[in-house]
Amino acid sequence: MKKIVHTDAAPAAIGPYSQANIANGMVYVSGQLGMDPATGELKEGLEAQAEQALNNLKAILEAAGSGLDEVVKTTVFLAKMTDFSIFNAVYAKYFPSDCPARSCFAVAGLPKGGLVEVEAIASVK
């Protein structure tokens, strides 16, 4: 049985999907853009968008009874692979040790013209 997760501390879904679902002790978080939950607008620049996307991810995980320390896998989508090192510097602040497994892809485009999107799978505490 799955449970839908929603929090106002992260942007609402911009399509027919949930912020996250909990099933079998795991939380599956939909891709998070660098959108400010208060305004619905993307932050300016890759670094700011990366920080906001990870803050959104953190808020959803916490609403699900989990946290960044419970993340087992992330998938990162970048608009440009040349931003890889900039993103890594931001990501390392959120996952300083015992890092989750991760995949990172450059994609042709992201919703709303975003520069980065991050999704995650985590265990529920």
Side-chain angles (χ1 to χ4, degrees):
M1 181 168 161
K2 74 177 180 179
K3 177 183 174 188
I4 304 296
V5 177
H6 174 78
T7 178
D8 291 334
I14 58 175
Y17 58 90
S18 302
Q19 288 176 325
N21 289 309
I22 299 172
N24 300 317
M26 302 296 288
V27 59
Y28 301 85
V29 183
S30 294
Q32 296 301 303
L33 296 169
M35 289 173 38
D36 184 320
T39 65
E41 298 296 321
L42 286 170
K43 297 284 186 165
E44 279 294 320
L46 176 74
E47 189 171 349
Q49 284 188 30
E51 287 181 8
Q52 187 64 59
L54 290 162
N55 285 331
N56 294 340
L57 181 74
K58 180 180 179 211
I60 295 167
L61 288 166
E62 290 173 354
S66 187
L68 291 174
D69 59 327
E70 296 294 325
V71 174
V72 295
K73 172 75 167 75
T74 60
T75 305
V76 178
F77 305 95
L78 295 172
K80 299 184 301 186
M81 194 53 77
T82 55
D83 289 335
F84 186 75
S85 62
I86 296 168
F87 176 78
N88 274 343
V90 174
Y91 187 88
K93 293 185 224 174
Y94 291 80
F95 298 103
S97 63
D98 299 325
C99 300
R102 185 179 93 178
S103 301
C104 185
F105 303 94
V107 295
L110 291 167
K112 297 191 169 253
L115 301 174
V116 62
E117 184 172 354
V118 183
E119 65 180 31
I121 300 170
S123 58
V124 178
K125 294 181 182 181

